[in-house]
Amino acid sequence: MIERILFVEAVDPDRDYIFPGAGIGYLLTAVRKAFGPERFDLRMTPRDVEATIDAFKPDLVGISSMTATFTRAQRIARAAAERGLPVVMGGMHITLLPECLNADMRVGVLGEGEEALVELLRLAEEQGPWRDEHLARVKGICYRDATGALQITEPRPPIQNLDSVGLIPYDDLPEALEGYVLTSRGCPYRCAFCSSSHYWKRLRYHSPEHTVQAIENAARAHPGDMIWIMDDLFIADRQRVETIVRLVRERGLHERYRFSVAGARANMIDDAIVALLKTMNVAAFGFGVESGDSAVLASLKGDQITIEQNIHAIETVRRMGLIAFGYLIVGAPGETLAQARRTVDFARRHLDGQFHMSLLTPQPGTPIWDLALKKGLVTNDMEWERLNANYQWDIDNALLVNEAMTRDEVRQIHAELVAAQKRAHAGAFVREALKNPLPTARRHLLRPRESIRSLWRFWKRKRQLY
C-alpha cells in the first residue's frame, strides 16, 4: 500500500536553482484534495535525493523533468528502482518523448498530471500494484508492458477549469519557488524553438479571483517584496488583466509588493497596458526579443514580430519608468556571425544590460527539434545535458544546430555579450552613485550582508549571462 510519496524535480544540484517548476506544487494540492490532507505523507525535494529516499522511505517516487535534466531524472529513477520503488515520470520531456520511458520507470504521465496521478493512486488503493490491464484504462499515460513494449493510452483532455486544481502549497516547496505564481497554462503562439504550446495544447486561464489569491499566498511565503508572474503570456487577455489589477489594488497588494511580468510580447505592448500594469506596481516586463536581425527573428517567430515592434515595446516600457528585460537567442539555423553581431548591437543599443542570452537549443515537439533530428544531432538516447541553455554557455559541449558559425565564433559572440552586459551594469552603478552618492554609500554601509551577497552572485555568474 502506498503511504509515503516523494516528489523530485530533476535539477542539477551543482547549479543555482533558478527556474523551478510549479507542477509538483499542484500535484501535492491535487492529492490532498482528492484523498484528504492526512491520507499520504507527501514530500518534495530537488537535491540530496538518494539520502532523502533512504531517510524518508517512500512507497512511490514521482519525478518531474525537463529535457535538459532528463539524464539526472534517469539516475534518480535508477536509484529508486534499485530500492524496489515504483517510479512515475512526469514533465515536459516524457510528455513530448514518451519513448524515453525506460525499465526503471513504471508509468509516464503525459501532459497535466493532477487528474492522472489521482487516478493512479485510486487504482493502487483498489487493485494493489499496477498491472498492465489496469493501466491501459488510465487516460494520458504511457508504460512498458510485460514484453517491454511501449504502450500509450488514450489522451486525457486538458483541464477545463484551471481553478479546480487548487493553490500551490508554498510551505512545502523550495525557497526558489517563493514569490513565483502561474496564472495560466499555455501560449497562443508557436515559436519555432519553444515547446510550451506543444505541451499545454491550448491557452487556459485561472480566474482573476484565483490569481489574486495565489499572489497573496506567494507573498505570505516570500520574505522579499517582488512577486514574479511566470506565465508564458500574462497579458494575452487584456480584460482579464484589468480585473486582476483591480483586485490587486482593492486588496492593497500593490502597496506592499512589486511585480515582474516575465512573459510579455512586443506586439501586445502599448501605452494603455503598461500604464494599467504600472498601477498594480509592475516594475519589470520580460520580452522574447530573440534576435536583432530581421531574417533570424522571422525564422524563430514567424512574421508576427518585427525589430521595430521590439524597439517600440522596450521604449514604451522604459518611458514609463519600468524595466524592460530581453531574452535573446544566438545560433538559429543559418545565422551568420554578422547576423549574430546585430543581436549584440541590439542588446547594446536598447537593453542596457538587461538581458539573458541563450544558445538555440532543440526542444522536443518543435520545428528546431525536427531539423536537428534530420541532421542526426539529436536522438532519443543522448546526453540530455547538452540541451541545457538556461544556466550558462558550455560552448565546448553545446549542441549547435547552426552550421554557419564555428564554435570559436559563437564563443566570441558570447564574450561580446558578457562584456556589453558588464559595461552596462558598471555604468548603471556609477550613474546611480554620482546621482545619489550619499544614499548609495549609505545603502551599502547599512546593508553589508546584501552587498556581499551581490558581489558573491556576480562572481559566481561572471561567466554566464543572467
Side-chain angles (χ1 to χ4, degrees):
M1 180 177 290
I2 297 174
E3 301 285 349
R4 294 177 299 279
I5 305 174
L6 177 65
F7 293 98
V8 182
E9 184 172 5
V11 296
D12 187 335
D14 296 325
R15 299 184 189 271
D16 288 340
Y17 195 41
I18 298 174
F19 298 116
I24 288 177
Y26 286 117
L27 294 178
L28 295 175
T29 295
V31 171
R32 288 168 179 159
K33 284 183 66 177
F35 296 93
E38 306 299 331
R39 170 62 185 85
F40 296 102
D41 188 353
L42 307 175
R43 295 193 189 179
M44 186 270 184
T45 183
R47 296 190 172 98
D48 301 322
V49 177
E50 292 191 37
T52 302
I53 290 175
D54 291 336
F56 180 46
K57 301 188 184 306
D59 304 302
L60 174 68
V61 176
I63 305 171
S64 178
S65 171
M66 302 290 286
T67 291
T69 61
F70 191 69
T71 298
R72 174 159 175 77
Q74 290 172 315
R75 290 197 293 268
I76 295 168
R78 171 56 59 88
E82 288 175 346
R83 292 160 171 81
L85 303 175
V87 171
V88 175
M89 280 300 307
M92 193 168 288
H93 182 81
I94 204 67
T95 296
L96 298 174
L97 288 179
E99 52 269 35
C100 289
L101 194 82
N102 65 31
D104 296 324
M105 306 165 185
R106 184 63 181 104
V107 178
V109 174
L110 310 181
E112 292 170 314
E114 292 90 354
E115 293 177 349
L117 178 60
V118 167
E119 189 170 344
L120 287 167
L121 291 175
R122 289 199 191 283
L123 185 62
E125 285 202 325
E126 296 167 2
Q127 304 289 343
W130 295 316
R131 294 161 56 185
D132 292 349
E133 58 266 32
H134 298 145
L135 292 176
R137 297 195 293 269
V138 179
K139 293 181 179 179
I141 67 169
C142 63
Y143 61 95
R144 298 279 175 183
D145 64 20
T147 70
L150 179 67
Q151 302 295 332
I152 300 177
T153 66
E154 179 183 347
R156 182 178 294 273
I159 296 171
Q160 299 300 312
N161 176 14
L162 274 193
D163 289 1
S164 68
V165 303
L167 294 159
I168 295 175
Y170 288 95
D171 291 341
D172 294 327
L173 301 178
E175 291 181 1
L177 266 172
E178 293 176 350
Y180 172 119
V181 296
L182 285 171
T183 82
S184 65
R185 294 182 179 183
C187 179
Y189 294 97
R190 299 289 187 271
C191 296
F193 56 89
C194 180
S195 55
S196 178
S197 59
H198 302 277
Y199 177 79
W200 294 114
K201 304 302 183 187
R202 62 185 182 84
L203 178 58
R204 288 154 293 142
Y205 303 101
H206 285 290
S207 69
E209 293 76 14
H210 184 283
T211 293
V212 176
Q213 185 61 59
I215 289 171
E216 288 189 317
N217 289 1
R220 277 196 294 268
H222 182 45
D225 66 347
M226 177 69 82
I227 304 297
W228 296 82
I229 300 175
M230 299 299 292
D231 300 32
D232 286 322
L233 192 53
F234 175 66
I235 62 175
D237 184 335
R238 188 166 298 203
Q239 185 175 357
R240 173 177 172 270
V241 173
E242 290 173 354
T243 305
I244 291 171
V245 171
R246 175 175 58 79
L247 293 174
V248 165
R249 290 182 59 81
E250 286 177 358
R251 301 189 190 190
L253 294 171
H254 67 298
E255 297 173 347
R256 289 175 281 159
Y257 301 99
R258 297 176 299 147
F259 296 86
S260 175
V261 176
R265 192 173 169 93
N267 62 325
M268 293 184 172
I269 291 293
D270 55 30
D271 285 12
I273 190 67
V274 177
L276 173 67
L277 287 168
K278 187 174 181 179
T279 68
M280 177 177 147
N281 205 14
V282 167
F285 288 81
F287 295 100
V289 172
E290 319 312 355
S291 177
D293 180 85
S294 296
V296 174
L297 181 61
S299 74
L300 295 175
K301 305 196 79 156
D303 59 359
Q304 297 175 336
I305 294 289
T306 66
I307 301 293
E308 292 71 27
Q309 285 175 315
N310 279 332
I311 293 172
H312 176 264
I314 292 167
E315 290 179 348
T316 298
V317 168
R318 289 192 169 165
R319 175 164 42 82
M320 296 195 176
L322 309 181
I323 294 171
F325 191 90
Y327 298 96
L328 306 176
I329 293 176
V330 162
E335 182 179 32
T336 65
L337 180 62
Q339 289 174 311
R341 285 218 163 103
R342 292 190 187 106
T343 298
V344 176
D345 185 60
F346 186 100
R348 287 173 176 157
R349 288 173 178 267
H350 303 292
L351 291 173
D352 195 28
Q354 301 291 339
F355 61 86
H356 172 91
M357 192 65 156
S358 297
L359 281 169
L360 184 72
T361 303
Q363 296 297 323
T366 68
I368 298 296
W369 177 268
D370 294 339
L371 176 63
L373 203 58
K374 289 179 182 177
K375 290 183 175 184
L377 298 174
V378 295
T379 68
N380 291 338
D381 184 18
M382 62 178 291
E383 296 178 27
W384 300 107
E385 295 99 330
R386 296 188 67 197
L387 302 182
N388 192 338
N390 280 336
Y391 295 100
Q392 67 183 29
W393 286 23
D394 184 1
I395 297 172
D396 290 335
N397 296 314
L399 191 153
L400 302 183
V401 178
N402 177 27
E403 297 173 346
M405 281 195 291
T406 67
R407 284 188 192 271
D408 284 342
E409 289 173 333
V410 173
R411 192 174 288 106
Q412 180 59 35
I413 290 296
H414 177 253
E416 291 175 15
L417 283 161
V418 169
Q421 197 164 55
K422 287 181 178 178
R423 280 196 299 271
H425 289 174
F429 179 83
V430 171
R431 287 193 298 273
E432 179 191 9
L434 291 175
K435 185 178 179 180
N436 300 294
L438 290 178
T440 300
R442 187 180 298 115
R443 185 174 72 250
H444 289 284
L445 289 172
L446 295 179
R447 300 174 64 185
R449 186 175 300 176
E450 179 60 30
S451 299
I452 292 170
R453 277 201 212 101
S454 297
L455 289 171
W456 171 248
R457 284 194 296 266
F458 175 78
W459 182 83
K460 284 182 69 178
R461 298 179 180 182
K462 65 182 179 179
R463 295 186 62 189
Q464 71 185 76
L465 294 171
Y466 49 89

